[in-house]
Amino acid sequence: RARVTVRGQTEDVRAAELDEAERLTFFRDVLRPVAHDMTFGTQFIKYVDGVDVDDPLDASHGRPVFELLPLA
């Protein structure tokens, strides 16, 4: 559980770890397109996190990824 504040809006959330298939989907369908839309995005993610977003299968293997969900 955590409390996240963005631009003055606060929300209580919980973290849910993604399973292997969900991690692959995240790297392939979420992170990769965002990285490609940013100038030097793929290079930045590779340098900072050691993640090659152009190889989502390898990026998702053994790497914990969490989704923040609102507390009901």
Side-chain angles (χ1 to χ4, degrees):
R1 291 183 173 201
R3 179 167 285 160
V4 177
T5 302
V6 177
R7 296 184 183 139
Q9 299 283 60
T10 300
E11 184 173 10
D12 291 325
V13 297
R14 66 179 177 86
E17 187 170 3
L18 302 182
D19 66 25
E20 189 173 342
E22 293 168 324
R23 288 192 309 265
L24 175 59
T25 299
F26 169 76
F27 282 104
R28 184 188 62 224
D29 299 342
V30 177
L31 189 58
R32 182 179 179 192
V34 169
H36 279 276
D37 285 345
M38 297 169 41
T39 303
F40 301 112
T42 58
Q43 294 91 335
F44 178 80
I45 291 170
K46 191 170 189 175
Y47 177 75
V48 172
D49 293 324
V51 173
D52 181 0
V53 296
D54 289 321
D55 186 356
L57 184 60
D58 184 60
S60 67
H61 182 69
R63 186 178 309 276
V65 178
F66 295 85
E67 179 179 10
L68 298 180
L69 302 166
L71 286 178

